[in-house]
């Protein structure tokens, strides 16, 4: 995975167009919340990918509300090419910026005494040495209307590292809120962050041009990944032929709500 071939640009473009369509459905009241949003987004990506006669697999499921994700993320995307794959993880949040500016989308955890989102960021940090990880903020404003620092057409994505850095050094309240989210978006281009908010096209173009994430060898139909603290070892099913049997149990065990695999063909 060393060049931005047409199929990789296609994957990024399909995802961003699907995100725009999903935001429009949210704006029109067709879908209701972040789980519905991610499910609709993943389904639209799969539908369009298959329309190009390209291979893919999607599984979405409801999880026990008390179950926490091993990865600290709602969704996992696998880009598979030959004997390697790239692992992408993202956590979706729906802060209701346009309709309920003071909406409380974060909460305190009684066990750890830190906020739920902060805990998710810490769990994500255990996998950042292997996976491309970002936070996806859903916006319900009418597509095409600019709002603050958010993407004008789709959702707004921020790479994991600057969000974690903000959480450690800049956040001033116990829980994340919309004021702090907007402050993060305002600061993200400046030191110590020196990055920028993005959309799905930006994020996936970076992933598929080897600017984010790492190609991981597939061994006997699995990606074998180990957390940075060496505590957790996970085998991610990577064989499209067997996913229907293996992925539901994988998602249940590791707290993944949405699993999407796109195969990049050998000609790419």
């Amino acid at each position: 995975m060393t060049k931005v071939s047409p199929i990789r640009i296609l994957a990024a473009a399909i995802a961003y167009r699907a995100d725009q369509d999903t935001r429009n459905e949210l704006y029109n009241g067709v879908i209701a919340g972040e789980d519905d949003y991610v499910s609709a987004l993943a389904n639209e990506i799969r539908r369009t990918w298959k329309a190009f006669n390209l291979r893919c697999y999607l599984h979405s499921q409801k999880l026990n509300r008390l179950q926490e994700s091993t990865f600290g993320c709602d969704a996992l995307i696998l880009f598979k090419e030959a004997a390697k794959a790239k692992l992408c993880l993202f956590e979706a949040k729906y802060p209701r910026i346009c309709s309920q500016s003071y909406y409380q989308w974060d909460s305190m955890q009684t066990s750890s005494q830190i906020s739920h989102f902060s805990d998710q960021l810490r769990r994500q940090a255990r996998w950042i040495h292997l996976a491309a990880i970002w936070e996806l903020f859903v916006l319900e404003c009418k597509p095409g209307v600019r709002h603050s620092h958010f993407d004008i057409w789709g959702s707004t994505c921020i790479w994991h590292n600057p969000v974690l850095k903000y959480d450690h050094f800049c956040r001033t309240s116990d829980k994340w809120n919309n004021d702090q989210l907007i402050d993060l978006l305002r600061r993200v281009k400046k030191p110590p962050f020196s990055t920028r908010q993005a959309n799905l096209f930006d994020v996936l173009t970076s992933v598929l041009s080897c600017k984010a994430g790492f190609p991981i060898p597939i061994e006997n139909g699995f990606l074998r990944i180990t957390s940075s603290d060496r505590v957790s070892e996970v085998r991610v099913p990577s064989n499209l032929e067997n996913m229907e049997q293996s992925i539901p149990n994988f998602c249940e065990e590791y707290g993944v709500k949405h699993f999407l695999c796109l195969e990049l063909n050998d000609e790419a």
Side-chain angles (χ1 to χ4, degrees), residues 40-254:
L41 171 62
N43 269 293
E44 183 61 19
I45 294 172
R46 178 187 62 172
R47 185 195 67 78
T48 310
W49 194 253
K50 291 183 74 172
F52 282 90
N53 201 29
L54 297 167
R55 301 178 71 210
C56 61
Y57 174 82
L58 171 65
H59 175 78
S60 295
Q61 68 182 59
K62 296 285 187 181
L63 299 172
N64 186 318
R65 287 187 63 188
L66 299 177
Q67 183 177 4
E68 287 295 349
S69 169
T70 299
F71 305 110
C73 290
D74 287 323
L76 183 157
I77 305 176
L78 204 62
F79 289 101
K80 182 176 182 290
E81 184 175 25
K84 293 183 179 180
K86 275 202 164 181
L87 178 66
C88 302
L89 300 164
F90 70 87
E91 169 63 22
K93 296 297 182 189
Y94 179 24
R96 294 165 173 79
I97 289 286
C98 300
S99 57
Q100 302 177 49
S101 58
Y102 294 102
Y103 179 74
Q104 294 293 315
W105 51 271
D106 195 13
S107 60
M108 291 299 294
Q109 295 190 155
T110 55
S111 56
S112 63
Q113 293 302 305
I114 62 173
S115 86
H116 180 60
F117 188 41
S118 296
D119 181 64
Q120 288 175 314
L121 292 170
R122 283 155 177 74
R123 278 182 277 130
Q124 293 171 20
R126 300 171 67 229
W127 306 99
I128 195 64
H129 62 297
L130 293 171
I133 305 177
W134 64 90
E135 320 306 323
L136 184 147
F137 295 98
V138 174
L139 194 66
E140 77 278 26
C141 301
K142 183 178 181 179
V145 174
R146 184 169 299 281
H147 190 285
S148 187
H149 300 272
F150 291 85
D151 187 69
I152 191 170
W153 294 107
S155 54
T156 297
C157 304
I158 311 178
W159 291 109
H160 162 80
N161 280 335
V163 184
L164 181 66
K165 192 176 293 185
Y166 184 95
D167 187 68
H168 281 324
F169 301 113
C170 303
R171 190 163 56 87
T172 55
S173 63
D174 291 339
K175 298 178 291 186
W176 279 80
N177 56 46
N178 284 340
D179 287 341
Q180 298 203 345
L181 173 57
I182 292 172
D183 185 49
L184 167 64
L185 291 170
R186 187 184 303 117
R187 293 189 189 209
V188 79
K189 295 181 182 179
K190 304 173 184 177
F193 307 108
S194 299
T195 181
R196 67 184 183 91
Q197 66 270 32
N199 55 45
L200 269 184
F201 183 81
D202 300 326
V203 164
L204 294 183
T205 300
S206 293
V207 170
L208 295 171
S209 61
C210 290
K211 295 177 182 177
F214 303 93
I216 304 171
I218 299 171
E219 301 174 359
N220 299 318
F222 292 90
L223 295 186
R224 297 176 183 272
I225 58 174
T226 304
S227 59
S228 58
D229 57 12
R230 317 298 289 180
V231 171
S232 302
E233 183 174 286
V234 177
R235 297 166 76 235
V236 184
S238 306
N239 188 333
L240 275 165
E241 284 70 24
N242 299 330
M243 283 186 177
E244 194 165 339
Q245 291 75 40
S246 58
I247 291 301
N249 289 337
F250 171 84
C251 289
E252 188 71 33
E253 181 175 357
Y254 295 107

